[in-house]
Amino acid sequence: MREVNCHDEKIHLCGNIQSFGYLFIFEDDKCVGVSENCAVIMGAASSTVLGMTVEAVLDHVAPSFGLRGDKIEQAVSQSLFARFVERVTIHQKDYFLSLYRYDGKIYLEIEDCTPQAVKTTKLYYYAKHLEDQREGKSCWQALTELIKDIIHFDRVMIYRFMEDNSGQVIAESRSEELESLLNYRYPEFDIPAQARELYRIFHARHTADVDERAIPIMGKAAENFDLTRCSLRALSPMHLQYLKNAGVKASASFSIIVDNELWGLVACQHREPMHVDLSQRHLCTLLTQYAVNRYLADFQKEQVRLHKSLSQLEHSLKSDLLVKRDLYDVLENYANRIMEVMNGQGLIIKRDRAIMTVGEVPDRKILKKIDEEIGTKEFFVTDRFKCTGFGDDVEIFPGVLRISILPVTNWYLYVFRKERLIEEVWAGKPEKVMQIDAEKKIAFPSPRTSFEAWKKITKGKSEKWRPSELAFIENMTHIIQQSIAQRGGEIDKLNRELVRSNNALDTFGYTLTHDLKNPLTTIQLTAQMLLYKKDVSREFLEKSMKNILEGTQLMNDMMDKVYQMSKVNHVDFVFEPINPRSKILNIVENCKQQYQVSHLEFNMGETLQVMGERTLIYQLFLNLIGNAIKYSSKKENPKVSINSFRDGDTVRYDVKDNGIGIDLKESDRIFEIFGRMSNTEGYEGSGIGLSIVKQIANKLKATLHVESELGVGTTFSVTFNNVPVAI
């Protein structure tokens, strides 16, 4: 006996339409198919319509309708819309006329209009209602309320397809006397595969009256007329019986399409016959798509929030892995946070014989069994792991994830989830009942007769692992592997750093040897004179001692600055958003006292945030502002100003003074270590401040620019790159 399944039925080739409309099908501009009821609007037998042109049929049906000749071809060929639709009057009654091309043919549909006209002026309020998600109301719940208000059905549900193609009601609006079906599950065979495919292609379907006789199409054989995109297509007898068994007289459905896939349906049911006309269906389809866009926007926001949270954890983990030597110790410190992100009840880090556990985990015997069944797989994940051969009192962990931290080593990370008992309420027992046709010797599925709540408890499974969780654990493993690989190159890096450090020390050593000769010579000559000269005067003694003190102080300052330079060269810094305003004000006050410039005129504009390290930012402004105040301190009216400006993703700070200025002919020496300009005599300093500024700017990936005029003043500009607008 041959078995015929629901998905074998060619429902798009049914050869029948519903009674609320009329259908004409044209091929090569001749009518090849017409619904049997067309005599009502044609005023002639339906058989006489066969062979007529589209224009001739329009002349008979709607003489006042202006679509004729080339305009007909334009109407069915336009790319902006799938079909041409107009409201027309036939025999003093309003109809919707639709004209479209499909499968090499032209289809003309005429259907009844309902007295309740759709008010397009309400579109704005409909959209606002979908956006209003107060009190935890989802866009799907809002959509059911709107569609119920538009078509006035007893029940409007959002039916979401699950991974196994079964469905679940996730939102519902209904008449008060009806029992709620919210969260009810429906089996896959309730909506067979070919029906789902039609829903994916054509987004609005409805049945006005399940008891109304279907109207046959005259002309060619039924299988020659593909009614996939026909709004009037009759439902299959099996589906009509299904609706009758459910106590439904009229139904409507609107496809929820996400990423070109059928995500779900807006399923509408009414206990009495009810026609939903074309304008109502179009409005419901539009609002359904609007709800999809709202859902996707909310989903994307949640994904961005989750990604940001996971990225912060990954960044923190990466930083610790690079700084701390013991990777195993780092993972132990992060174990609880990893388990929380993975929504696990337990976690194990296993390296050779060492095992570290967090939360609730299987014992070692079960862990060994898990390892034996997983084998050498580097990444394994399941929500239904079965561990047989142990007693009933053993804790069940069907959710198992194991990932190899280092391939070729016995170093693994496990995350476990406990069994989650799930009670599902189904609209009737999800079982397919077959009927036998003895004559044809076939067995075919019978429409379900029972829709009473049937409870099913699912055991042996954990909550499913989400894609974001799996992506996080894989990223975390890659970070660990990258850290280990990076450490593999640390020796070479340290060697290169040592060479660079030695070169820098050579430079410092040469500079010290050369520039310390002057203060050392001064100290030596002064000491010799004091040693050998007899009867020195008090005045000469004081002058000599002052020379010695100044020389030693100069040497001490220079060595301090060299030490500062060595720190700037060798320290790695973590950048963060900084507004230097408070630092600048503090520096200005200290420098006014240091250089005794109480009458300084200081102006500061807006201070924008920059990306940097706090110590470096302080040193940078300390040297720039210190120089500005120092070299303008002997002016009658010393002035210093600081301003910041944004240009795209850069922020520029200008430190301007009216001091002695710089001869830009010597610009190649401005940032040299100990390189003092020729006009700085009479001002204290060792010439290392701007060298430090240059080194700091390099560390901050900032650029320096100098504008100056001798005797007029100097402006130092520092431009910070890659500064986000909102930090």
Side-chain angles (χ1 to χ4, degrees):
M1 183 173 291
R2 184 169 61 91
E3 182 175 309
V4 179
N5 290 308
C6 290
H7 58 258
D8 294 325
E9 187 181 11
K10 297 179 180 180
I11 55 178
H12 62 302
L13 304 176
C14 64
N16 294 292
I17 66 167
Q18 298 182 63
S19 61
F20 61 81
Y22 312 91
L23 177 65
F24 305 83
I25 305 172
F26 301 88
E27 189 172 24
D28 298 328
D29 201 29
K30 290 184 178 180
C31 184
V32 294
V34 59
S35 59
E36 194 179 74
N37 61 348
C38 281
V40 176
I41 58 171
M42 285 291 292
S46 299
S47 58
T48 64
V49 180
L50 294 172
M52 293 179 64
T53 64
V54 179
E55 188 169 346
V57 170
L58 289 174
D59 276 336
H60 276 79
V61 173
S64 61
F65 187 57
L67 203 63
R68 296 292 185 273
D70 293 340
K71 290 184 178 180
I72 295 175
E73 182 61 32
Q74 292 174 10
V76 297
S77 301
Q78 57 187 329
S79 58
L80 185 58
F81 303 107
R83 61 176 63 202
F84 178 87
V85 178
E86 283 285 352
R87 192 181 185 111
V88 298
T89 301
I90 303 173
H91 303 320
Q92 299 181 343
K93 183 178 178 182
D94 286 342
Y95 294 89
F96 281 111
L97 184 150
S98 301
L99 198 63
Y100 59 93
R101 187 189 299 280
Y102 181 67
D103 192 33
K105 301 176 181 67
I106 292 178
Y107 289 72
L108 172 61
E109 296 181 25
I110 300 173
E111 66 170 84
D112 297 343
C113 290
T114 60
Q116 301 160 335
V118 169
K119 295 181 179 179
T120 55
T121 53
K122 281 188 173 184
L123 274 176
Y124 172 77
Y125 301 100
Y126 288 151
K128 292 296 292 181
H129 187 74
L130 286 173
E131 292 176 357
D132 186 4
Q133 297 183 35
R134 290 173 297 181
E135 300 179 358
K137 181 191 293 184
S138 71
C139 63
W140 301 125
Q141 180 59 37
L143 180 62
T144 64
E145 295 168 359
L146 288 180
I147 291 182
K148 189 174 189 304
D149 181 68
I150 293 167
I151 66 174
H152 310 291
F153 270 37
D154 293 325
R155 190 194 306 274
V156 177
M157 305 175 288
I158 301 297
Y159 178 96
R160 180 175 183 176
F161 289 106
M162 314 301 283
E163 288 184 1
D164 60 357
N165 288 324
S166 64
Q168 184 174 26
V169 178
I170 62 170
E172 176 190 54
S173 291
R174 58 186 169 84
S175 299
E176 291 183 1
E177 66 275 13
L178 292 180
E179 181 182 352
S180 174
L181 298 180
L182 189 62
N183 296 320
Y184 272 41
R185 297 286 304 277
Y186 289 79
E188 174 189 2
F189 52 78
D190 273 14
I191 305 179
Q194 81 275 31
R196 291 196 299 272
E197 179 59 16
L198 286 183
Y199 283 126
R200 189 186 68 81
I201 297 172
F202 195 65
H203 301 166
R205 294 290 306 145
H206 92 296
T207 303
D209 186 350
V210 297
D211 294 320
E212 192 75 31
R213 182 182 75 89
I215 308 299
I217 300 174
M218 302 170 59
K220 292 184 178 181
E223 60 268 18
N224 291 315
F225 300 126
D226 188 340
L227 302 183
T228 295
R229 293 189 176 275
C230 180
S231 300
L232 308 175
R233 177 175 62 84
L235 271 66
S236 73
M238 190 176 298
H239 187 65
L240 288 172
Q241 188 61 49
Y242 176 92
L243 293 174
K244 293 175 183 178
N245 293 347
V248 174
K249 291 292 184 70
S251 73
S253 56
F254 307 99
S255 305
I256 301 174
I257 305 295
V258 177
D259 294 332
N260 203 36
E261 296 295 331
L262 185 63
W263 185 92
L265 292 172
V266 183
C268 314
Q269 299 176 346
H270 199 59
R271 289 168 290 179
E272 297 297 331
M274 176 85 79
H275 176 49
V276 179
D277 76 11
L278 191 62
S279 63
Q280 292 174 305
R281 300 199 303 271
H282 280 184
L283 178 56
C284 291
T285 303
L286 173 66
L287 293 175
T288 299
Q289 188 54 50
Y290 192 93
V292 168
N293 294 339
R294 183 71 192 182
Y295 164 77
L296 289 175
D298 292 342
F299 178 78
Q300 189 62 33
K301 285 180 184 178
E302 177 60 22
Q303 291 300 107
V304 169
R305 185 201 64 76
L306 180 62
H307 178 73
K308 185 177 180 180
S309 175
L310 296 182
S311 294
Q312 289 173 347
L313 176 56
E314 289 172 3
H315 177 75
S316 177
L317 174 62
K318 187 173 185 178
S319 299
D320 282 1
L321 286 170
L322 292 175
V323 172
K324 298 180 180 179
R325 305 304 303 176
D326 191 335
L327 301 180
Y328 190 73
D329 183 57
V330 172
L331 284 182
E332 284 187 344
N333 293 337
Y334 278 85
N336 278 297
R337 291 174 67 183
I338 293 171
M339 188 176 70
E340 289 173 7
V341 169
M342 296 299 296
N343 291 307
Q345 280 80 51
L347 178 144
I348 290 178
I349 299 175
K350 177 182 172 186
R351 184 177 65 175
D352 298 324
R353 296 182 179 179
I355 291 182
M356 191 277 291
T357 67
V358 177
E360 299 180 64
V361 299
D363 61 29
R364 292 199 176 215
K365 289 182 179 179
I366 297 178
L367 184 63
K368 183 179 179 182
K369 177 72 172 177
I370 291 173
D371 282 338
E372 288 174 356
E373 295 204 21
I374 295 176
T376 59
K377 294 177 183 176
E378 292 184 7
F379 186 42
F380 174 84
V381 60
T382 182
D383 61 349
R384 53 185 74 189
F385 190 88
K386 291 184 179 179
C387 202
T388 58
F390 295 89
D392 294 335
D393 58 338
V394 172
E395 188 73 61
I396 299 175
F397 292 91
V400 176
L401 181 149
R402 190 190 79 175
I403 191 164
S404 175
I405 295 175
L406 283 179
V408 307
T409 69
N410 190 25
W411 192 354
Y412 295 102
L413 184 144
Y414 305 76
V415 184
F416 299 97
R417 285 179 176 171
K418 287 185 175 182
E419 181 182 48
R420 182 179 174 219
L421 297 179
I422 303 173
E423 183 178 270
E424 298 173 327
V425 180
W426 291 75
K429 191 173 182 180
E431 59 182 2
K432 188 183 292 186
V433 178
M434 304 298 291
Q435 288 185 350
I436 306 297
D437 188 324
E439 288 186 13
K440 297 181 180 179
K441 296 183 179 181
I442 60 171
F444 59 93
S446 172
R448 288 201 293 132
T449 58
S450 173
F451 293 87
E452 292 184 4
W454 182 83
K455 292 184 179 180
K456 174 186 175 184
I457 297 178
T458 303
K459 298 181 178 181
K461 292 176 63 178
S462 71
E463 186 175 343
K464 289 185 70 68
W465 304 92
R466 293 185 294 178
S468 59
E469 295 164 346
L470 302 181
F472 164 75
I473 205 73
E474 289 189 277
N475 286 343
M476 189 202 71
T477 305
H478 291 155
I479 288 170
I480 297 170
Q481 293 169 357
Q482 288 170 3
S483 301
I484 293 171
Q486 187 168 342
R487 290 192 177 184
E490 280 186 351
I491 295 176
D492 182 56
K493 181 181 176 182
L494 288 172
N495 285 335
R496 291 197 304 270
E497 186 65 21
L498 184 60
V499 171
R500 190 197 62 77
S501 298
N502 286 337
N503 290 337
L505 288 173
D506 287 343
T507 302
F508 292 146
Y510 172 80
T511 306
L512 286 173
T513 302
H514 181 271
D515 283 22
L516 288 179
K517 284 182 179 179
N518 286 337
L520 279 172
T521 300
T522 300
I523 293 171
Q524 184 181 17
L525 290 174
T526 303
Q528 288 176 347
M529 291 177 64
L530 290 174
L531 179 64
Y532 295 111
K533 189 167 181 159
K534 306 296 184 183
D535 301 323
V536 294
S537 65
R538 179 70 181 174
E539 180 182 356
F540 179 78
L541 182 62
E542 288 179 358
K543 183 177 180 181
S544 299
M545 296 305 296
K546 183 178 179 181
N547 288 342
I548 292 173
L549 289 173
E550 286 180 351
T552 55
Q553 185 62 47
L554 177 59
M555 293 170 63
N556 186 61
D557 288 346
M558 290 175 69
M559 287 186 287
D560 282 346
K561 296 296 183 181
V562 169
Y563 175 67
Q564 293 175 31
M565 279 292 294
S566 68
K567 286 180 67 178
V568 172
N569 276 335
H570 292 290
V571 178
D572 289 328
F573 300 96
V574 177
F575 285 15
E576 60 182 314
I578 297 170
N579 189 316
R581 190 176 191 87
S582 61
K583 294 183 177 358
I584 290 171
L585 292 172
N586 180 263
I587 290 168
V588 170
E589 287 303 313
N590 290 338
C591 288
K592 283 170 64 176
Q593 295 180 14
Q594 179 180 351
Y595 299 115
Q596 299 179 358
V597 198
S598 58
H599 59 300
L600 174 72
E601 181 182 330
F602 175 67
N603 294 302
M604 182 164 61
E606 181 183 9
T607 56
L608 299 171
Q609 281 190 341
V610 298
M611 293 298 293
E613 193 277 334
R614 294 187 179 278
T615 303
L616 291 185
I617 294 294
Y618 181 81
Q619 284 184 269
L620 180 76
F621 283 107
L622 176 64
N623 282 283
L624 289 177
I625 296 170
N627 275 1
I629 294 176
K630 177 170 65 175
Y631 291 117
S632 60
S633 62
K634 296 182 181 181
K635 289 276 186 173
E636 183 176 349
N637 296 306
K639 297 179 182 179
V640 172
S641 66
I642 298 175
N643 289 284
S644 64
F645 312 89
R646 172 174 285 281
D647 183 9
D649 64 347
T650 66
V651 170
R652 189 185 85 243
Y653 269 82
D654 290 347
V655 180
K656 183 177 182 180
D657 65 64
N658 67 339
I660 62 175
I662 299 173
D663 185 355
L664 294 180
K665 293 179 182 178
E666 301 180 71
S667 59
D668 57 334
R669 296 184 56 233
I670 291 176
F671 298 109
E672 282 186 3
I673 186 172
F674 308 125
R676 303 199 74 197
M677 300 296 101
S678 55
N679 63 334
T680 58
E681 188 176 348
Y683 294 88
E684 67 175 60
S686 60
I688 200 172
L690 290 180
S691 179
I692 290 176
V693 168
K694 178 65 174 175
Q695 295 290 337
I696 290 174
N698 290 341
K699 279 285 184 182
L700 296 173
K701 296 180 176 59
T703 56
L704 295 169
H705 178 71
V706 184
E707 291 184 1
S708 187
E709 185 178 349
L710 283 173
V712 177
T714 302
T715 299
F716 277 92
S717 298
V718 187
T719 301
F720 299 87
N721 299 303
N722 301 319
V723 182
V725 174
I727 302 178

